[in-house]
Amino acid sequence: MSHIDEGRLHAWLDGALGPQSGPEGAAMAVHLEECDECRSRLEEARAVRERARAALSAADSPPLAAPPFVDLVARARSDGWTPDDPSDRESVRIRSRTAGPAGRSRIPRVGLAWAASITIAVGAGLLGRELALQRGGDLPAELDFGRESVEAPADEQEGFRENAPAAREPAPAEPPARQKSDARKIVEAEESTAGRGAESRKLDVSERVDADLAEVAAPPAALRAHETIGQVEDEESSGRNRFAAPPPQPGPAIGHPALGCWRMESGQERSGLPARLWLTEDPLPDDAHGALRLKTDMDPGLSGSEAPGWLPLGADSVWLSIPPRVFRLAPVDGILVGQVSDPTEPSAADPLSVRFTRVECGTP
Amino acid sequence: MSEPWATIYGQVWDDLVRFLDRKVWDPERARDLAQETFVRALQADPVPDDPRAWLFTVAGNLAKDEARMAIRRREKLKLIRVDAEDAEPVAGPDEELEASDRRAMVRQALESLSERDREALLLCDAGLNYTEIAAATGLSPGSVGTTLSRARRRLAAAYEAQEGDEENGVAHR
């Protein structure tokens, strides 16, 4: 074999050619073993490569955080894009029956830009999971993603506690029988899906969330999210729901509250990440103001909002994103969504009013 | 396609922004263009076979458009003749100035390369493999290594020459 040219030396260094890459790579490997000159030139090429790399890295700027993927999905939608292949759209996986006819959610929402979407990333699966764990339930291993993260290093947990709001009050104790029932139902639900394939799990969840969305209205403001989950499931199993919403009415959404807090098996595609779930609100009247409020006691920092505890709805649609690790260490108590009289100064007295009609799941 | 866009998004965001930043030399603008690239990706029909190469190709085209618009903006500015050139540069922390100088040197060094060499180099730096670089640039896969070796030598030489000038007190801008 003649000497190796510089281009192939760089290909070798870049991994495009190698001992395992085929006959050419194998021959190069043999030649490099035998030829001092080519080995020397390989080292020269390596040095050039490193110098170029160093030069390029001298232009590095501080990294800019990626916006939530769902923001881009919303933007694509506002431009008229309609997803048609759910297999490659992580953001489009679950649709609510309450979204109306099957084609409705595909309608471009150009005219509804301000109310295009709020997104609540609720790791509700983790809530359910943590609830089950706290109460002695064993989750199926397949669904028990992130257990290590839940049991985060003590120093991390300590650090988070330091940053947590001091006023966080413990939730009132539930009757033991109730706790067991909640946990058991979560575990049973997860077990019921664990034996099936990923696709059927998605469908199961889709169906359940669809059904929930069709039936569930907002709980009282003081209700805890995991209590709601348990209650919803209790009610589901008994064929009724004490938060059942009245039939959808045309016009302003006032009077049709909903709580966005669901349990979801997800994270299959991105192991280690928790379930991410967000809700998209029904189109609101143009003159409506909206805001999303994190439930009392929730760390405002979790929202990433500048206005503690509140995220405005509107043209700049808000996608609430909760960092997985933080979320795992401090499960949110719930998320309330309400229509407010003054979007710049939402008041806790504002009534809950935004009615969700579609649930989407995915990873940002 | 084998991977959903959301997954690719998480994988290539940083690289895409860096790639764009070295084309438009404005991190915020690079971030905007990266977002625009992904919006277009979501709207792409059909979904490209080689999504990463596709993304960087689109990003490169967006950066070119951006450069053309920047030229037009500059021409307009010339017309209104705002005499900002004589203004004293705003003094910032030394580190910022150093970083700015370094970026200016890298920029000049990159601009000394041919467009094809520069593109291959930036794509490689962004983590694309030879097949993807070939797809994005139109080079044959077999010539990517040669292109990169030439680009690296020239970039290193140009950058180091400027570093020498810097030490000797020669202005870069």
Side-chain angles (χ1 to χ4, degrees):
Chain A
M1 183 180 182
S2 57
H3 290 306
I4 302 169
D5 65 61
E6 195 176 351
R8 286 191 296 162
L9 289 174
H10 279 258
W12 179 272
L13 292 169
D14 290 330
L17 282 175
Q20 313 297 327
S21 64
E24 187 182 2
M28 272 185 73
V30 171
H31 184 80
L32 285 169
E33 282 284 321
E34 297 168 348
C35 179
D36 291 342
E37 185 182 337
C38 283
R39 275 204 305 278
S40 168
R41 290 175 53 239
L42 180 67
E43 290 314 307
E44 285 175 22
R46 193 189 307 277
V48 168
R49 184 169 172 267
E50 288 309 311
R51 283 162 54 207
R53 184 177 288 177
L56 281 175
S57 64
D60 281 348
S61 300
L64 294 171
F69 183 70
V70 290
D71 280 357
L72 302 187
V73 173
R75 200 175 136 198
R77 280 187 175 147
S78 72
D79 289 346
W81 169 70
T82 54
D84 52 10
D85 181 8
S87 66
D88 68 340
R89 317 291 191 202
E90 287 202 16
S91 58
V92 184
R93 190 152 296 148
I94 301 174
R95 295 184 182 283
S96 167
R97 290 179 192 133
T98 56
R104 176 176 165 186
S105 60
R106 295 170 178 246
I107 297 172
R109 298 187 166 198
V110 177
L112 303 169
W114 86 265
S117 39
I118 55 167
T119 300
I120 307 170
V122 181
L126 288 172
L127 273 180
R129 194 177 129 285
E130 284 204 354
L131 181 64
L133 290 173
Q134 287 165 7
R135 297 173 183 182
D138 291 326
L139 295 177
E142 188 181 353
L143 297 177
D144 193 17
F145 54 85
R147 183 191 287 260
E148 288 178 7
S149 299
V150 172
E151 294 158 0
D155 54 348
E156 284 188 18
Q157 297 199 30
E158 198 55 46
F160 180 79
R161 286 193 197 101
E162 285 170 9
N163 295 329
R168 193 173 186 112
E169 294 174 6
E174 293 178 72
R178 171 81 204 198
Q179 291 178 13
K180 185 176 179 183
S181 169
D182 289 348
R184 192 61 239 160
K185 284 198 173 295
I186 289 164
V187 172
E188 282 172 2
E190 288 171 342
E191 283 172 347
S192 71
T193 58
R196 304 174 202 165
E199 196 54 39
S200 63
R201 270 201 303 279
K202 288 173 191 169
L203 292 175
D204 275 356
V205 173
S206 173
E207 288 167 6
R208 186 164 67 230
V209 173
D210 284 352
D212 289 347
L213 278 177
E215 294 171 2
V216 176
L223 192 62
R224 283 168 296 124
H226 59 263
E227 184 181 14
T228 306
I229 292 171
Q231 285 166 343
V232 168
E233 292 181 350
D234 274 351
E235 306 293 343
E236 270 182 350
S237 63
S238 64
R240 63 191 172 82
N241 190 320
R242 75 179 175 125
F243 300 127
Q249 301 293 322
I254 294 173
H256 300 280
L259 175 74
C261 192
W262 307 96
R263 191 162 58 79
M264 172 76 188
E265 295 85 9
S266 182
Q268 291 97 341
E269 285 88 359
R270 302 185 67 179
S271 61
L273 286 181
R276 286 272 178 147
L277 192 75
W278 53 84
L279 307 178
T280 304
E281 90 281 25
D282 203 20
L284 294 174
D286 288 343
D287 58 348
H289 295 299
L292 180 151
R293 182 160 65 92
L294 305 183
K295 188 184 176 298
T296 311
D297 300 338
M298 192 171 176
D299 181 357
L302 291 174
S303 72
S305 168
E306 290 179 8
W310 286 91
L311 298 169
L313 295 182
D316 301 317
S317 22
V318 169
W319 305 83
L320 176 63
S321 179
I322 303 171
R325 186 176 63 80
V326 175
F327 183 77
R328 288 175 181 185
L329 292 174
V332 295
D333 281 338
I335 293 176
L336 304 180
V337 177
Q339 192 165 351
V340 297
S341 48
D342 180 354
T344 60
E345 258 187 89
S347 157
D350 283 317
L352 297 175
S353 61
V354 175
R355 178 161 41 95
F356 290 118
T357 57
R358 194 172 67 221
V359 176
E360 297 177 346
C361 177
T363 51
Chain B
M1 86 185 244
S2 57
E3 293 177 290
W5 283 121
T7 305
I8 296 170
Y9 181 67
Q11 292 169 347
V12 309
W13 171 262
D14 288 343
D15 293 331
L16 189 62
V17 173
R18 193 165 64 244
F19 172 77
L20 284 162
D21 185 29
R22 286 167 188 166
K23 284 176 169 288
V24 300
W25 300 99
D26 178 346
E28 291 292 339
R29 191 66 195 132
R31 180 185 149 114
D32 291 345
L33 291 176
Q35 289 187 53
E36 178 63 28
T37 303
F38 271 100
V39 168
R40 294 193 182 198
L42 285 167
Q43 295 169 332
D45 187 18
V47 175
D49 293 333
D50 190 341
R52 281 158 52 89
W54 186 93
L55 279 172
F56 281 87
T57 304
V58 170
N61 289 336
L62 287 172
K64 275 183 195 166
D65 291 345
E66 175 76 11
R68 277 194 282 269
M69 282 192 289
I71 289 171
R72 281 200 289 271
R73 279 198 298 270
R74 275 202 296 273
E75 285 170 350
K76 278 188 179 176
L77 285 175
K78 279 180 195 169
L79 288 176
I80 58 176
R81 207 69 187 165
V82 175
D83 206 8
E85 290 174 11
D86 297 334
E88 285 291 316
V90 178
D94 288 347
E95 288 172 6
E96 266 183 45
L97 288 174
E98 276 179 29
S100 174
D101 282 349
R102 278 199 305 273
R103 279 171 65 85
M105 287 197 294
V106 176
R107 181 176 184 171
Q108 276 198 8
L110 277 170
E111 285 172 354
S112 71
L113 305 182
S114 70
E115 186 174 349
R116 176 173 289 187
D117 287 4
R118 181 168 59 241
E119 195 72 5
L121 189 60
L122 293 179
L123 290 169
C124 184
D125 187 61
L128 269 64
N129 62 35
Y130 278 31
T131 308
E132 290 168 330
I133 293 170
T137 59
L139 289 166
S140 71
S143 62
V144 172
T146 304
T147 305
L148 283 173
S149 69
R150 180 177 58 238
R152 284 166 173 161
R153 259 190 291 108
R154 289 181 177 172
L155 177 80
Y159 182 72
E160 287 158 6
Q162 290 190 67
E163 277 190 320
D165 289 346
E166 172 86 350
E167 286 168 8
N168 295 328
V170 179
H172 297 291
R173 284 173 292 181

